[in-house]
Amino acid sequence: MSALRAAETPTPAFRFAHRPSEADDELFGRQPATRSELPDPVPLLTNLAHCVIEAYAGARDLEQLARWVTDDVYRNLAKRVVLASRARRARGVNAQRPVFSIGNIHMYEPVDGAVEAVVMVHQRHRTRAIAIRLEGMDSRWRASALNVL
């Protein structure tokens, strides 16, 4: 009977010879990049500021920013976009493309592969500052912190 049961039990088609370990994350996870491997951050800072203001105004889909920001930044932006949308609905205002211009960009590089910047955004009745921290990951910039002030 035991020989019959052994024959009836299915055997896996393959067996894992190697189990994933913490060392694998170092090889396959996001890799930090040095400043020499990264492009000029100014165009990304300008585009991020532009897209964030439009997303808050309801004129741009937030998913268009997903590839430029980390997951935490995306979740934070999503909350703010939802709150802005609720505020517009409560006032009975439709989403419109905002009119603004990008002003000065003040950058600082605290360590190799990271840029902290403040982008000034000028609108008709207000000026805003957007604080952005970019970190080099996988040979490209990603925003690891973003706040609209």
Side-chain angles (χ1 to χ4, degrees):
M1 189 74 110
S2 63
L4 183 60
R5 283 190 187 166
E8 291 176 359
T9 58
T11 57
F14 60 91
R15 295 182 191 260
F16 290 105
H18 174 72
R19 289 185 164 221
S21 67
E22 291 179 19
D24 290 337
D25 288 339
E26 293 176 15
L27 297 174
F28 299 109
R30 298 210 179 275
Q31 299 296 315
T34 62
R35 181 67 171 97
S36 61
E37 299 171 331
L38 297 164
D40 181 25
V42 173
L44 178 59
L45 291 168
T46 304
N47 287 335
L48 268 175
H50 188 94
C51 292
V52 166
I53 295 296
E54 287 183 348
Y56 280 10
R60 180 177 295 270
D61 188 15
L62 186 60
E63 287 183 21
Q64 294 177 0
L65 296 171
R67 65 183 300 249
W68 292 340
V69 299
T70 61
D71 293 340
D72 290 337
V73 171
Y74 186 84
R75 280 191 292 273
N76 249 354
L77 289 173
K79 289 177 190 175
R80 295 284 306 264
V81 167
V82 167
L83 291 173
S85 174
R86 286 182 187 164
R88 277 193 308 276
R89 256 187 277 130
R91 291 181 303 190
V93 176
N94 292 330
Q96 295 179 352
R97 186 164 305 280
V99 177
F100 63 93
S101 64
I102 302 294
N104 294 336
I105 298 175
H106 303 279
M107 282 192 337
Y108 171 67
E109 296 185 34
V111 294
D112 189 31
V115 170
E116 294 177 350
V118 175
V119 181
M120 301 304 294
V121 178
H122 305 287
Q123 294 176 300
R124 178 190 274 167
H125 299 292
R126 100 177 354 167
T127 296
R128 293 181 177 206
I130 302 177
I132 303 171
R133 178 179 170 90
L134 298 178
E135 293 182 5
M137 293 183 231
D138 297 332
S139 299
R140 67 186 186 101
W141 292 113
R142 288 189 64 162
S144 60
L146 192 147
N147 289 305
V148 178
L149 308 173

